[in-house]
Amino acid sequence: MALNGAGAAAAYNPRTVEEVFRDFKGRRTGLIKALTTDAEEFHQQCDPEKENLSLYGYPSEQWEVNLPAEEVPPELPEPALGINFARDGMAEKDWLALVAVHSDAWLLSVAFYFGSRFGFDKVDRKKLFSMINELPTIFEVVTGTAKKEVKEKPSSNHGSNKSKSNSKARGSESQARHLEVLPAKDEDEGLDEDEEDEHEEETCGACGRGGPSSLDEPWILCDFCETWFHMKCVKVTPAKAKQIKQYKCPSCSNKRARPM
C-alpha cells in the first residue's frame, strides 16, 4: 500500500502550500469517487467479516480499502480504522456519510501534518486552510448538500437578502443565543471592534464563507453541534428564527442513533 512504504512516501513529499493543496485535492477526489461513483465497489470491499479496514485516498486521485500501516508510528496520519464493521449496522447512505466525515478529518490531518513537518508559519497555515475551505467537504458532496447550494445560488433574490439582513435579532437581551444575528453595518451604526474581530473568524457550517464579507448577513447557531450558519444557507428566515426555541441544523437533523 502506498502509504505504508517509507520509500513511497519519500517519493512524494509536498513542501509548499500549493503542493500540499494539490496533494489534498488529489486525495479528496479519490475519496469522493469511492463514496459516490464507486460506492457499490467500495461497499463490497468493506466486508465486516474481514479485519479492521480503512479507506485511503491518494494524490493520484485513486482510492483503496486496506489494512492500516504496520509501522508504528506510521509515515502519515492514518484514516479511521474499522469502517467495515459499521457497514451492515446502519442504512447505506448513513454509513457512507459517516465514512465521509472521517475522511474529511483525515484529509485535514494529512495536510497539516505536511504543514508542521515542513515548517509552515501562521501565514502559510492560514493560506492553506483558506484554499481548502473553498472546496465543499466530502460529507457535503456525499450527502448532496453541495449540489443543493449550487442550485439555489442563481435563484437567490438579492433585494430580499438585503431586507433580511437588516433584521436585528441580536441586541434583544430576551432572545436565546441561537437567535443571534450579525446585523448589517449601517453608516451610523456598526459593530464594536471586539465584536467585529470575533466574527471575522466565524465561518458558515454550510457554505464555508465567513469573515468581514458576510457580516451583513443574518446567522443562526445550531444548539446541538454549536455551529454557525447563514440563515439563507439553511433556509431559515429571520421571522422564523424568532419562533424557534431550539435550532437543529440539517446535519444534526439527519443523524440517527448508531449501534455501538
Side-chain angles (χ1 to χ4, degrees):
M1 185 170 61
L3 289 180
N4 292 358
Y12 187 82
N13 269 336
R15 293 176 180 271
T16 67
V17 171
E18 289 72 21
E19 288 174 340
V20 172
F21 183 57
R22 282 197 297 272
D23 179 274
F24 178 93
K25 287 200 300 182
R27 296 178 191 273
R28 173 180 173 274
T29 298
L31 294 170
I32 289 174
K33 284 180 183 177
L35 299 173
T36 56
T37 56
D38 298 344
E40 185 175 350
E41 181 183 352
F42 171 64
H43 186 277
Q44 292 173 351
Q45 290 192 27
C46 292
D47 186 349
E49 298 300 319
K50 294 183 179 180
E51 296 183 50
N52 288 296
L53 295 175
S54 299
L55 173 62
Y56 295 87
Y58 298 114
S60 60
E61 301 186 357
Q62 301 302 310
W63 62 273
E64 179 183 34
V65 172
N66 212 328
L67 295 171
E70 293 182 2
E71 59 183 339
V72 179
E75 179 68 21
L76 291 178
E78 285 287 306
L81 183 65
I83 57 173
N84 50 317
F85 298 143
R87 190 194 73 176
D88 295 341
M90 57 202 309
E92 183 175 358
K93 67 174 184 177
D94 294 333
W95 175 65
L96 291 174
L98 176 63
V99 176
V101 169
H102 284 291
S103 296
D104 280 320
W106 177 64
L107 282 180
L108 286 173
S109 69
V110 171
F112 281 87
Y113 163 82
F114 285 128
S116 261
R117 181 174 178 183
F118 297 114
F120 286 8
D121 59 18
K122 180 179 180 180
V123 173
D124 287 337
R125 292 194 302 271
K126 185 174 182 178
K127 180 180 178 182
L128 176 60
F129 184 76
S130 295
M131 294 169 74
I132 290 172
N133 207 35
E134 288 298 312
L135 299 173
T137 63
I138 298 175
F139 175 81
E140 289 171 337
V141 174
V142 170
T143 58
T145 307
K147 290 182 180 179
K148 290 176 185 176
E149 288 175 2
V150 171
K151 288 180 181 177
E152 287 166 7
K153 282 181 181 178
S155 61
S156 63
N157 187 322
H158 296 292
S160 173
N161 285 344
K162 285 183 180 179
S163 65
K164 287 180 182 178
S165 67
N166 288 328
S167 172
K168 296 170 183 171
R170 189 188 187 98
S172 172
E173 296 298 330
S174 62
Q175 288 174 346
R177 179 169 170 250
H178 66 277
L179 294 181
E180 291 184 3
V181 176
L182 307 187
K185 291 188 288 184
D186 300 327
E187 292 182 3
D188 300 327
E189 178 184 0
L191 295 174
D192 61 50
E193 195 170 309
D194 292 338
E195 193 174 21
E196 186 171 352
D197 290 341
E198 174 189 349
H199 291 295
E200 281 186 3
E201 300 302 322
E202 292 286 3
T203 55
C204 173
C207 70
R209 292 188 301 107
S213 62
S214 63
L215 286 177
D216 61 344
E217 300 180 51
W219 296 62
I220 189 165
L221 178 72
C222 175
D223 287 299
F224 294 83
C225 63
E226 296 190 348
T227 301
W228 283 100
F229 296 89
H230 292 121
M231 286 191 183
K232 68 178 182 180
C233 289
V234 290
K235 299 181 180 178
V236 175
T237 64
K240 182 179 178 181
K242 293 177 182 179
Q243 301 173 2
I244 299 175
K245 293 183 179 179
Q246 194 174 46
Y247 176 66
K248 182 183 283 190
C249 71
S251 295
C252 291
S253 297
N254 291 333
K255 287 180 182 176
R256 297 181 179 179
R258 296 171 186 156
M260 298 300 290

